Amino acid sequence: MATIRGCPQPDSRTAGQPDSRTAGQPDSRTAGQPDSRTAGSALTSAPVFGLSPEWLLHNGTPVADAMVLSHPEQLDRLRVACPEAVPTATLAGDPCFDRMLAARPYRERFQRALGMRRGERLVLLNSTWNPESLFGDGGADDVLPALLPRLTAELPADEYRVAAVLHPNIWHGHGPGQIRAWLDRALRGGLTLVDPLHDWRQALLAADAVIGDHGSVSYYAAALGTPVLLGATPLDGLDPSSPVAEFVRHAPRFDPHAPLAAQLDDLIANHQPLAGPARLTTSAPGRSATLLRGLFYGLIGIPEPPEPALLQRLALPAYERASVTAPLRVLTRVHADSDEVSVARYADPWYEPDGDGHAHIAVHEDTRDPGQLALADVLLQEGTPDDPRFGSPGRWTAEVLARHPHCSLAAYMTRPGECAVRTRGGVLLRLTGDPDGADPAAAASALHAWLAAGRTVDQAARQGLTIRTGRTAHRVAVTG
């Protein structure tokens, strides 16, 4: 039976450390460290995971009939690290990257699957499996657990979406319960945890910016031309001549102590893609299925089927809208002689957000701290119009206003662009916008600001509202 070892972008972990990463989920791949097996050799680097004799040879003979590489650059380094395995090497591209290239036209669909709205940017954080990665070993020095709640707290909720891809072995090593406990505040602030096996490629294609480390997800992002900030840069563990080390040396650095929005805005505005990742990820873009099938059938010794070799397409993930149950600090400004209301919402901020205008608090009824409900100016809930648990939007809004006498407005969100609201005066209204327009909760806060500024329900119903979130304006109709 023929044995095939896939090594599209080998890793720089020490030989002998078991690798339990799941097929299809890339890891930190930094091949190219010279081999130190020869006695008296001046080469002192640790053996390279995936390229060293410890992985490739048994009694001096290659264990695999074929070793698949994605680029000639890797073949050059294989000649240095383990020349005995060179006859088994085959250049066959990168099927993982080919699947992403084929799915690029569907980027907007992947964004909509994450519940993104017009004017929002997706910030994707990722960490590979390594003590020096962005997530690391779960210790006090890890960047990611502290960074994620800052991102959901400091970035305006209607201008940014935050998602995270953690290597499967992080989930396996710490356990899902521990991961979610560490990230609980960020999850309540709107963080989406992406399935690390099936949906990470789609999230990467949807991203407007990536914050990562020396792992393959960050490298793939750079190869796709997506702006990348590196929050962990362990150069000491990388071969200085490897493509990943070159990428780590030149990619912009993330400063966890500086304002987050300014860093991301600057990264996106001034982005200049690095040439290395796009050039060195694969030498045969779009051709890996053909090359791999030819290799497989050649090893088996039978002719190939006549139909084209095709890779499985990336599936459209299930729709997953961000659920924010943390209290929202909302800054609003009602523009004079206009129907426009500017809204900036911050989920559970650690300090008072910067910005002009009046502030109020909007709280989801499912918030972790029930005491926040008594402080809310706007109360929020979501469900279908006929959900028997809430009775009806009209009934729920009347009940919560009666229960919380200091609240000014209650909003029951029924669809991506709609909500029913009841004012303290008892008027029941419907706010309707585009499904990918303003979040209905933001529209409810805009109406609250409109009424607090002395405007009337009749004025809002007659002309509608223009809600501005960042650089984007959304029209919302107000009906009785």
Side-chain angles (χ1 to χ4, degrees):
M1 178 181 294
T3 303
I4 301 171
R5 176 180 291 274
C7 194
Q9 291 183 0
D11 199 73
S12 62
R13 289 193 289 260
T14 302
Q17 178 180 0
D19 174 37
S20 58
R21 64 176 182 261
T22 304
Q25 167 67 33
D27 201 346
S28 171
R29 298 164 177 172
T30 52
Q33 291 185 334
D35 176 38
S36 58
R37 66 187 184 277
T38 305
S41 172
L43 302 176
T44 59
S45 296
V48 181
F49 173 83
L51 285 186
S52 67
E54 289 85 345
W55 287 98
L56 302 181
L57 305 180
H58 177 68
N59 293 331
T61 302
V63 298
D65 295 282
M67 181 177 182
V68 178
L69 304 176
S70 66
H71 196 278
E73 179 272 337
Q74 296 159 6
L75 181 58
D76 292 340
R77 290 192 272 152
L78 178 64
R79 292 190 178 100
V80 174
C82 186
E84 299 90 338
V86 169
T88 69
T90 299
L91 292 171
D94 186 332
C96 179
F97 192 58
D98 280 354
R99 295 177 72 194
M100 287 190 279
L101 292 177
R104 293 184 88 169
Y106 307 106
R107 179 173 187 263
E108 290 186 3
R109 293 186 189 178
F110 298 148
Q111 290 179 329
R112 290 195 293 269
L114 287 166
M116 290 183 63
R117 299 178 179 275
R118 185 160 46 89
E120 290 184 336
R121 291 169 167 172
L122 175 62
V123 179
L124 183 68
L125 290 93
N126 76 90
S127 178
T128 190
W129 173 54
N130 188 292
E132 297 179 311
S133 65
L134 195 63
F135 202 99
D137 58 6
D141 294 333
D142 285 354
V143 175
L144 195 60
L147 173 61
L148 283 170
R150 280 192 61 204
L151 282 166
T152 54
E154 294 185 27
L155 298 178
D158 300 295
E159 299 175 47
Y160 289 93
R161 278 292 310 280
V162 181
V165 175
L166 305 180
H167 191 280
N169 284 352
I170 295 176
W171 290 93
H172 177 74
H174 300 295
Q178 181 63 76
I179 295 295
R180 292 186 178 277
W182 278 329
L183 305 183
D184 176 69
R185 184 171 182 174
L187 290 168
R188 290 184 286 112
L191 169 71
T192 296
L193 284 175
V194 178
D195 185 323
L197 300 180
H198 305 293
D199 297 342
W200 67 269
R201 304 170 191 82
Q202 296 90 321
L204 190 58
L205 289 167
D208 294 284
V210 170
I211 300 176
D213 52 25
H214 59 295
S216 292
V217 175
S218 299
Y219 197 79
Y220 275 136
L224 291 168
T226 304
V228 178
L229 282 176
L230 294 184
T233 55
L235 276 170
D236 290 345
L238 304 178
D239 170 34
S241 65
S242 69
V244 172
E246 183 74 6
F247 166 65
V248 169
R249 281 193 293 269
H250 292 94
R253 296 289 193 274
F254 175 74
D255 183 352
H257 306 293
L260 305 180
Q263 290 188 74
L264 291 167
D265 290 343
D266 182 68
L267 173 74
I268 294 171
N270 300 309
H271 174 55
Q272 294 183 344
L274 298 173
R279 181 171 55 86
L280 297 173
T281 296
T282 177
S283 60
R287 297 180 57 228
S288 63
T290 299
L291 295 171
L292 287 170
R293 191 177 74 172
L295 170 65
F296 299 157
Y297 276 82
L299 289 170
I300 297 172
I302 60 176
E304 292 187 61
E307 58 269 13
L310 301 173
L311 295 171
Q312 184 176 11
R313 292 179 57 180
L314 294 182
L316 183 63
Y319 178 74
E320 184 177 4
R321 185 173 54 83
S323 179
V324 180
T325 60
L328 290 154
R329 189 67 168 171
V330 187
L331 300 181
T332 61
R333 183 161 59 92
V334 179
H335 297 254
D337 302 321
S338 169
D339 62 3
E340 184 170 307
V341 182
S342 296
V343 177
R345 302 186 302 152
Y346 299 87
D348 196 16
W350 294 0
Y351 46 80
E352 190 65 26
D354 292 332
D356 299 327
H358 297 279
H360 70 264
I361 298 175
V363 182
H364 197 287
E365 192 181 28
D366 297 336
T367 187
R368 178 69 58 81
D369 180 5
Q372 292 290 330
L373 298 173
L375 306 176
D377 300 289
V378 176
L379 280 169
L380 305 169
Q381 186 53 270
E382 54 196 320
T384 60
D386 58 351
D387 190 328
R389 297 172 299 172
F390 301 116
S392 69
R395 180 175 176 179
W396 177 86
T397 55
E399 285 181 355
V400 295
L401 286 178
R403 189 177 301 121
H404 302 287
H406 298 292
C407 178
S408 298
L409 185 144
Y412 183 95
M413 296 166 284
T414 55
R415 294 182 179 88
E418 290 187 20
C419 67
V421 300
R422 188 182 294 275
T423 68
R424 173 50 61 185
V427 179
L428 184 63
L429 301 167
R430 179 165 296 279
L431 308 184
T432 307
D434 293 334
D436 65 343
D439 188 325
S445 282
L447 180 62
H448 168 73
W450 177 270
L451 298 176
R455 308 287 181 90
T456 67
V457 169
D458 288 341
Q459 288 175 309
R462 185 167 56 250
Q463 62 196 56
L465 296 177
T466 298
I467 301 171
R468 182 167 295 279
T469 56
R471 295 174 294 273
T472 306
H474 312 273
R475 288 294 298 166
V476 173
V478 182
T479 56

